[in-house]
Amino acid sequence: MSYSLDDLIYLMQRLRDPDSGCPWDLQQDFASIVPHTLEEAYEVADTIERKDWPHLKDELGDLLFQVIFYAQLGQEEQRFDFHAIVDQLVEKLIRRHPHVFPDGTLRGELRQQAIDTDQVGQRWEEIKQQERDAKARSGVLDEIPQGLPALSRAAKLQKRASKVGFDWGEALPVLDKIEEEIAELREAILAGREEEIRSEMGDILFAQVNLARHLDVDPEQAVRGTNAKFERRFRYIELQVEANGGDWSSFSLEQLDAWWNEAKQQGL
């Protein structure tokens, strides 16, 4: 037997049934399941980055369930249901892909206009700006979600500002800015000014995100990759410590660092 999307929607309705549903699911609201949504999204990203294809289907299902949960809550509050979500999504995607749907309908003429990837991105941003204008939102940085991870939000803020010309034309000036911010942080550290230290540290990270953007590197993905690399190399150090008695206090930082370099040389 193979279950369908309708079965999943029905399952969600059963979980939220006031008389026979799941006590935990019945206690949830929009705000309470947001942390779970973020966690599931990160697990999807992690599975893809590790190329763990056998488990990707499972993680995508968990993420889809979050959408079904929100749809059920919306239906209960008479705000929207799953079908309204799908309807609005399809309508928006048709509108944002005029080169694929030239007559503005889903099953209209199958003709794609000649357009490259850069033009697609530019047209996408133009259409999104038109949508923002239609909502009477005048701020350039409006509608960038506050709940995004800080590095991702920094990149989106910078990208949006660049659309109106507030940006460096190349990467090298950003390197100069990073060095300037490092000098300011050093001065704050030497002076022991804690509030300035936090502020300058944030400025450095923000500038580094800007550099990543100019180099066409996703900052979140880059840091996740470095986290994974750190874990691999640190686990190698752990193995060496265990093979040599298992007492961390017996080894100097120099010895631990030497094992780190061994791990690095081995491509870990």
Side-chain angles (χ1 to χ4, degrees), residues 51-71:
K51 295 182 172 57
D52 186 4
W53 309 125
H55 291 99
L56 180 58
K57 178 173 64 175
D58 184 49
E59 297 298 346
L60 288 171
D62 291 343
L63 185 58
L64 173 60
F65 182 70
Q66 300 299 305
V67 178
I68 298 298
F69 209 139
Y70 289 119

Side-chain angles (χ1 to χ4, degrees), residues 8-50:
L8 179 58
I9 294 173
Y10 174 68
L11 180 150
M12 185 71 252
Q13 292 170 346
R14 289 285 303 275
L15 291 176
R16 291 280 297 182
D17 186 284
D19 298 321
S20 59
C22 170
W24 185 89
D25 290 284
L26 286 168
Q27 289 178 354
Q28 306 312 307
D29 57 23
F30 283 104
S32 69
I33 62 174
V34 166
H36 302 284
T37 306
L38 295 174
E39 180 179 342
E40 298 298 353
Y42 278 122
E43 289 181 359
V44 168
D46 178 66
T47 304
I48 292 172
E49 288 176 358
R50 290 186 289 105

